[in-house]
Amino acid sequence: MIESGFKEVYQLEGGIYNFINKFPDTYWECGMFVFDERRVVNPNTKDELKHIAECHFCGKSTSYYINCHNVECDKLIVCCHECKTENDYCCSDECRKAPRKRKTYHG
Ligand SMILES: [Zn+2]
Ligand SMILES: [Zn+2]
């Protein structure tokens, strides 16, 4: 993230695991993507700007996540806009070929 031009990047004190232990209600709901979460903080206010994670497919920083549209899978994955479209909202090639898929809404 520093390479992407962010001036101040903080690691969560004690790590994500401790954070979840302290605030189980707030973070468990979000699912597995929090384990890859990076936090961006406004240098002036020290307020958190938004959640950033790495795209499941290309590794690019993004704050978007989707549920795999294979209803048998329904895995929560971090996925940038490009990869989301490219992979038909699915987490893998297998899921893309799955017979039962959720309807995709564009727009
Ligand atoms: Zn991507
Ligand atoms: Zn899947």
Side-chain angles (χ1 to χ4, degrees):
M1 290 196 45
I2 292 166
E3 282 167 16
S4 318
F6 291 98
K7 290 283 187 303
E8 300 199 21
V9 178
Y10 296 97
Q11 287 241 306
L12 213 53
E13 210 181 313
I16 294 284
Y17 184 76
N18 281 348
F19 188 79
I20 289 168
N21 275 348
K22 267 187 204 163
F23 308 100
D25 293 341
T26 18
Y27 271 77
W28 271 127
E29 272 178 36
C30 303
M32 54 170 273
F33 83 95
V34 297
F35 293 105
D36 291 319
E37 185 183 58
R38 304 288 183 273
R39 319 206 110 211
V40 186
V41 176
N42 182 312
N44 301 312
T45 64
K46 304 285 191 256
D47 284 336
E48 187 185 314
L49 290 180
K50 60 178 175 174
H51 302 303
I52 301 260
E54 280 163 21
C55 174
H56 175 75
F57 298 100
C58 69
K60 209 170 83 177
S61 287
T62 178
S63 53
Y64 295 102
Y65 56 93
I66 58 168
N67 277 91
C68 178
H69 272 216
N70 172 11
V71 295
E72 309 288 340
C73 173
D74 200 41
K75 199 160 89 177
L76 182 69
I77 53 167
V78 177
C79 188
C80 74
H81 269 314
E82 293 84 51
C83 295
K84 186 169 78 178
T85 316
E86 235 170 73
N87 292 281
D88 294 332
Y89 291 68
C90 288
C91 76
S92 64
D93 281 347
E94 292 83 73
C95 286
R96 214 160 13 159
K97 289 176 212 142
R100 295 177 62 220
K101 292 206 325 205
R102 216 178 301 162
K103 204 172 185 302
T104 301
Y105 297 97
H106 291 286

